[in-house]
Amino acid sequence: MQKIIYGKRATLFPFQEKDVDYFHFLLKHEGYLMGQVYFKDFDSYFAYVAREILENRIFLWTAWTKDGKASEKFGFIALSNFTPWSAEIHGFSDKKIMRGLLKLLKRQDKYTYAEDALRSIMTYCFEELKLHRIETECFRSNLAVRKLVEKVGFKREGLRSESVMIGGNWESIFYYGLVNQKENENAIREEVKRADNNGSASIVQSQSVPA
């Protein structure tokens, strides 16, 4: 079930009809770069994405800056390819924002809108949807996204070499994954708790046995 997700610097609103034009523009000029890996033309890619959204197989949010009256849209973030234990995260914004992101990511102390949106959707995946792991991917040449996903904790798990040609050049894709560490920590705490309880029960039983 989609909901409004509030971050520290960004707010993610479930996709609405009024966002269609902006979504179409960004999907065509930014999102389709990755779509070319699987679809021969943009029209077939857009038709697929639209159908998946309408049938709730893609959860899509519009990302807004959290600046009161000066608030503005800066991109989209989506969850797709769900399994009972995992989902993929995809996001895209315009080139101007991505260029600025690359500059800001050079400063470790800078907390960007994009980072906040990504961390917010990660929290939603782990705490609300109770997923075991999340995944994402990006082009090897996309340094801004690589820096971003690695900064928030994703681990590089694979490389698909020269998988699509863009602008006359072959592009390779990095695959990233992240396991829900809190899930593991909770499991360990439960195991310790059970062990403590069993130990206490054993002590009580041993003390109640008559000599």
Side-chain angles (χ1 to χ4, degrees), residues 21-200:
D21 290 342
Y22 183 50
F23 177 68
H24 185 276
F25 173 80
L26 285 186
L27 190 69
K28 185 173 185 178
H29 293 91
E30 302 300 330
Y32 182 53
L33 293 176
M34 187 63 73
Q36 291 179 69
V37 177
Y38 308 103
F39 294 87
K40 63 180 182 179
D41 58 68
F42 174 73
D43 288 339
S44 59
Y45 176 56
F46 183 74
Y48 165 78
V49 171
R51 185 174 62 252
E52 293 293 290
I53 292 171
L54 289 172
E55 295 179 359
N56 292 317
R57 288 195 291 266
I58 289 179
F59 289 0
L60 181 65
W61 288 264
T62 306
W64 286 75
T65 61
K66 205 171 183 179
D67 296 325
K69 291 183 178 180
S71 180
E72 61 181 358
K73 289 181 280 192
F74 66 89
F76 294 91
I77 195 162
L79 297 176
S80 65
N81 294 335
F82 288 95
T83 74
W85 51 83
S86 68
E88 290 184 16
I89 297 177
H90 301 280
F92 49 91
S93 188
D94 63 51
K95 290 181 179 179
K96 181 180 179 181
I97 292 175
M98 295 307 296
R99 284 195 294 268
L101 174 65
L102 184 56
K103 293 179 181 179
L104 292 173
L105 286 170
K106 293 178 181 179
R107 295 176 51 184
Q108 290 298 314
D109 63 324
K110 198 67 176 178
Y111 191 69
T112 65
Y113 292 118
E115 181 179 346
D116 187 60
L118 181 53
R119 287 188 183 278
S120 296
I121 206 72
M122 290 164 62
T123 299
Y124 175 76
C125 286
F126 289 150
E127 297 186 3
E128 298 282 337
L129 300 183
K130 306 297 183 184
L131 295 178
H132 174 66
R133 64 176 273 129
I134 48 179
E135 302 164 357
T136 193
E137 60 189 15
C138 71
F139 288 126
R140 186 175 189 174
S141 62
N142 195 335
L143 185 58
V145 174
R146 284 169 51 192
K147 283 180 172 292
L148 176 61
V149 299
E150 290 171 9
K151 182 180 180 182
V152 301
F154 277 91
K155 307 300 181 186
R156 192 185 303 168
E157 297 180 340
L159 170 67
R160 186 174 175 181
S161 299
E162 299 185 1
S163 57
V164 62
M165 181 173 284
I166 296 178
N169 298 309
W170 287 106
E171 282 278 6
S172 300
I173 298 174
F174 278 137
Y175 292 93
Y176 290 88
L178 181 64
V179 172
N180 186 351
Q181 294 300 322
K182 286 188 177 180
E183 180 186 66
N184 292 337
E185 292 169 4
N186 290 338
I188 291 172
R189 279 195 290 268
E190 287 297 318
E191 189 66 30
V192 171
K193 185 178 179 180
R194 282 195 296 270
D196 289 343
N197 290 339
N198 290 338
S200 299

